[in-house]
Each structure stands twice: as structure tokens, then as C-alpha cells.
Amino acid sequence: MSTMKRIFPPLYQPTGDAGIDRLAFFHVLERLKRYVHPATVRGSPSTVHPDPSISDHMYRMAVLAMCTSDVTLDVPKCVMMCVVHDLAEAQGTPVDVLLGTILTSRCSVGDITPREGISKEEKRRLEAEAMHNFVHDMLHASPTALRIEALWHEYEEGVTPEAKFVKDLDRLEMALQGILFRLFLRDSTRADHIVYYFAYSSRVRENAQTRTG
């Protein structure tokens, strides 16, 4: 277990100006383009095929949701849920640091691992705190912001058919990325990542594949 305590930067302090606070949120989204997805953080960065970012992961999930043949699902909701389900992971390195370098180290709330001694409950609390900051302090609880918050909570609870489906897509997308590393890139450094990917996805691969395409 790691003896180092993870320290996150303070949450955004609202200015009271809705326009300024909204713009700050738009800048926060930049972090999702630069953070490497937690499932691919192991090993050395590749110059041939860079590690996928959190945004990369969510984008393909959204397209997979659009391709579903399951007529019982609310597909637009699924697409939106894909886009916001990892939004809390934007809480991490300050924007000014991110603008100066491409981030490859891990410092967002979404990549906390059990080795750090942080419980799942504490991880959820940190993510919920980040989402509350985004929705209420930065987006001033606008109707759109509350929709984002509701979608995020629905995904986290994992009860509705749409939330269960998006959770399946989350694992399927990681499995697809693992296949790319293993079969096409022949990257020995990343070969072990397959175990990580499929530990998450083995129980849902067939189910997700029958509901997409």
C-alpha cells in the first residue's frame, strides 16, 4: 500500500459572475482531453500510439451507444450519459499546469487505486464533491447543469436499463482498446494491460456486443 497521501487542488471558488464561472468550467473540460485514461496508465508512453485520454474513451462510448440495436433503450440519454459519466475525473491538476504540458501522470479523483488506502466510499465522496462544484458553483445550477448532474447520478447508481447499458459500454470500450494494443500494435509493454481490461469486461462482452451493431 502506498504511503504517499494524494493531495488534490482546492475546488473552484465561484466569482458570482455566471459568465466567468461558466467559462472556467469550459476550461476544466480541457483536463479530460489531457488526462490519460486510468486503464492505460501502466507502462511507458508510446510515440506510435499515444495512450487514450478520458475524452477519447467517452467519445467512442457515445458512438457505440448510438449504434445500439436495442429499441427499448432511450438512446439519446445513453449518449449523454456516456459523455458525462467520467466528468468528475476533471478534478485534478490546475488548468495553468495542464496548458503547459501534456499530462501523463495521474492526479485526478477518478484514478484512485486501492493501493493508496482510500476507500471506495471516500472516492465516491470526492467524485460527488467535484460534480457538485461543477454543477452548482461553476454552472450555477442551470437546467443543463442539473441534467448533467442527474445523468451522472443515474450512471453511478447503475439501476436503470440505460445506466446498466452504459456501464457495459464502459467495459466494452476498454476491451476494444486492449485488443488494439495486443493484436494490432504488438506492443509488448502494454500486453499486460489486456488482463486489466478484461478483468473489467469479461462478464459483459457478449451482452454488450449483442446490443450494439
Side-chain angles (χ1 to χ4, degrees):
M1 181 176 296
S2 174
T3 58
M4 295 182 63
K5 183 178 180 181
R6 184 82 67 98
I7 299 177
F8 299 105
L11 295 170
Y12 177 81
Q13 296 299 311
T15 66
D17 185 311
I20 292 175
D21 294 338
R22 188 182 303 113
L23 182 60
F25 174 73
F26 296 159
H27 282 305
V28 162
L29 296 179
E30 175 70 20
R31 299 170 182 173
L32 297 175
K33 295 167 59 179
R34 292 175 179 267
Y35 280 155
V36 171
H37 189 277
T40 61
V41 72
R42 299 176 185 177
S44 302
S46 170
T47 56
V48 177
H49 191 278
D51 289 322
S53 69
I54 296 169
S55 288
D56 295 333
H57 168 66
M58 294 193 296
Y59 173 79
R60 180 154 60 174
M61 282 180 60
V63 176
L64 289 172
M66 293 173 65
C67 293
T68 183
S69 58
D70 190 337
V71 297
T72 67
L73 294 171
D74 183 340
V75 176
K77 175 189 276 192
C78 291
V79 172
M80 289 187 288
M81 196 177 294
C82 288
V83 173
V84 306
H85 82 286
D86 276 342
L87 185 57
E89 297 192 25
Q91 170 57 16
T93 298
V95 174
D96 58 344
V97 175
L98 286 171
L99 293 179
T101 183
I102 296 179
L103 183 67
T104 57
S105 60
R106 306 303 300 138
C107 50
S108 77
V109 299
D111 71 285
I112 295 171
T113 66
R115 288 178 296 177
E116 297 177 65
I118 298 176
S119 67
K120 290 183 178 180
E121 292 73 20
E122 176 64 6
K123 181 176 183 292
R124 292 193 190 100
R125 186 193 69 77
L126 290 169
E127 291 176 341
E129 187 178 62
M131 287 299 298
H132 187 275
N133 186 236
F134 298 157
V135 169
H136 295 275
D137 295 333
M138 305 181 86
L139 295 177
H140 290 225
S142 67
T144 299
L146 294 177
R147 181 72 179 277
I148 290 172
E149 185 177 48
L151 287 165
W152 184 81
H153 279 295
E154 182 175 341
Y155 173 82
E156 287 294 305
E157 291 165 2
V159 174
T160 66
E162 287 75 19
K164 291 178 180 178
F165 178 61
V166 173
K167 284 182 176 291
D168 286 353
L169 292 181
D170 185 42
R171 298 177 177 92
L172 176 61
E173 198 287 325
M174 289 191 290
L176 292 172
Q177 187 65 47
I179 290 171
L180 174 67
F181 287 157
R182 179 72 171 182
L183 300 182
F184 296 99
L185 298 182
R186 305 291 183 181
D187 191 328
S188 59
T189 303
R190 300 183 186 187
D192 289 341
H193 295 177
I194 292 294
V195 176
Y196 183 89
Y197 279 109
F198 282 85
Y200 278 91
S201 61
S202 59
R203 73 175 180 81
V204 299
R205 281 176 300 188
E206 292 184 4
N207 180 47
Q209 287 171 347
T210 57
R211 298 169 73 181
T212 57

